[in-house]
């Protein structure tokens, strides 16, 4: 028996019961879309847009990533973003207690902390509490800090506790390696260090020191007059454009290790 081929709608013959192959989609138009960055078309949704007035009411319930230095005047957390892909120099004119709290909290965020100091005994209690230097904090003599290999996955904070006149050294800020220089008081090298710093913290100083800092950092009269009366644990943090008073409040473990906040050591 002879079986006649059936005709498809397009005129091509195929055997009964055999589904004809689909004609391939044209390739060139798809390639043009991909080359133009359009990609493949997805489901159509309405655009999400806000007016300029609505942007003012938009807020996120989180702050910057970094180390919590304390609370601001409104009681909100004040965060120092120390782990950065660009070099970041910080100068703290203040007490050892505040520098040690910041070092502990930086280590708690996963950063490695290298302390360059001429008074290693003042840091050894912290080293022992953190596992003998195996858990993120190590102490070195002045001028003996080795290359630290900072990276995005292993950021580093170098704390330079080298007295009133910290020597120039090979430990410098670089990507993912911030440097915090602690000065107990205003010294002849302080203006140079402050000019180089991206962030400066000032704790209680004498009226004469406050006047010098006012001229060096373009502080307001109110800020200058506040510096000699700052309570223990309060720091005026300054950038090129912003000023913020921050109260560093120690946690119970920090109090057990370092004691209460103090300006003098």
């Amino acid at each position: 028996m002879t079986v006649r081929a059936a005709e498809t709608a397009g005129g091509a013959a195929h055997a009964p019961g055999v589904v004809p192959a689909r004609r391939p989609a044209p390739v060139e138009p798809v390639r043009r879309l991909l080359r133009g960055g359009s990609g493949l078309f997805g489901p159509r949704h309405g655009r999400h847009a806000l007016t300029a007035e609505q942007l003012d009411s938009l807020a996120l319930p989180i702050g910057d990533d970094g180390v919590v230095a304390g609370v601001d005047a409104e009681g909100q957390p004040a965060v120092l973003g120390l782990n950065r892909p660009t070099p970041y120099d910080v100068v703290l004119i203040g007490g050892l207690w505040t520098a040690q709290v910041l070092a502990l909290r930086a280590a708690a965020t996963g950063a490695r902390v290298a302390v360059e100091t001429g008074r290693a005994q003042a840091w050894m209690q912290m080293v022992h509490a953190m596992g003998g230097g195996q858990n993120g904090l190590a102490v070195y003599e002045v001028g003996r800090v080795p290359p630290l290999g900072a990276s995005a996955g292993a950021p580093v904070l170098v704390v330079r506790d080298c007295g009133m006149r910290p020597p120039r050294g090979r430990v410098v800020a670089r990507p993912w390696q911030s440097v915090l220089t602690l000065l107990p008081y205003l010294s002849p090298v302080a203006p140079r260090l402050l000019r180089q710093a991206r962030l400066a913290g000032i704790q209680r100083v004498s009226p004469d020191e406050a006047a010098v800092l006012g001229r060096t950092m373009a502080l307001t009269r109110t800020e200058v007059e506040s510096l000699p009366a700052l309570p223990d644990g309060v720091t005026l943090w300054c950038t090129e454009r912003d000023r913020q008073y921050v109260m560093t409040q120690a946690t119970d473990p920090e109090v057990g290790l370092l004691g209460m906040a103090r300006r003098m050591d």
Side-chain angles (χ1 to χ4, degrees), residues 58-150:
L58 182 64
L60 297 177
I62 58 175
D64 289 335
D65 181 24
V67 176
V68 177
V71 295
D72 61 18
E74 285 75 38
Q76 298 299 313
V79 178
L80 302 184
L82 296 176
N83 301 334
R84 296 170 177 259
T86 55
Y88 199 66
D89 276 297
V90 182
V91 173
L92 173 62
I93 301 174
L96 176 65
W97 184 89
T98 301
Q100 290 183 327
V101 169
L102 294 177
L104 276 175
R105 295 179 180 183
T109 66
R112 290 178 294 144
V113 179
V115 179
E116 181 184 13
T117 181
R119 47 177 175 175
Q121 71 282 357
W123 292 86
M124 293 315 297
Q125 186 177 2
M126 283 180 55
V127 173
H128 295 320
M130 297 181 64
Q134 301 301 312
N135 293 318
L137 189 147
V139 174
Y140 303 93
E141 295 179 5
V142 177
R144 298 294 184 87
V145 181
L148 298 168

Side-chain angles (χ1 to χ4, degrees), residues 11-23:
H14 61 85
V18 177
V19 178
R22 293 181 178 272
R23 180 176 299 176

Side-chain angles (χ1 to χ4, degrees), residues 24 30 34 44 61-63 65 68 82 85 106 139 178 184-185 190 192-193 196 198 205 209 216 218 232 238:
V30 176
L34 293 176
R44 297 293 188 266
I62 58 175
D65 181 24
V68 177
L82 296 176
V139 174
S178 298
Y185 300 101
R192 172 179 60 83
L193 294 174
Q196 295 173 349
R198 300 275 302 279
V205 294
E209 290 173 307
T216 302
D232 289 342
C238 309

Side-chain angles (χ1 to χ4, degrees), residues 202-226:
I202 308 170
Q203 297 189 316
R204 187 171 62 248
V205 294
S206 69
D208 289 342
E209 290 173 307
V212 173
L213 288 168
R215 293 190 295 270
T216 302
M217 304 182 64
L219 302 179
T220 66
R221 180 177 178 180
T222 300
E223 290 165 345
V224 171
E225 292 176 347
S226 74

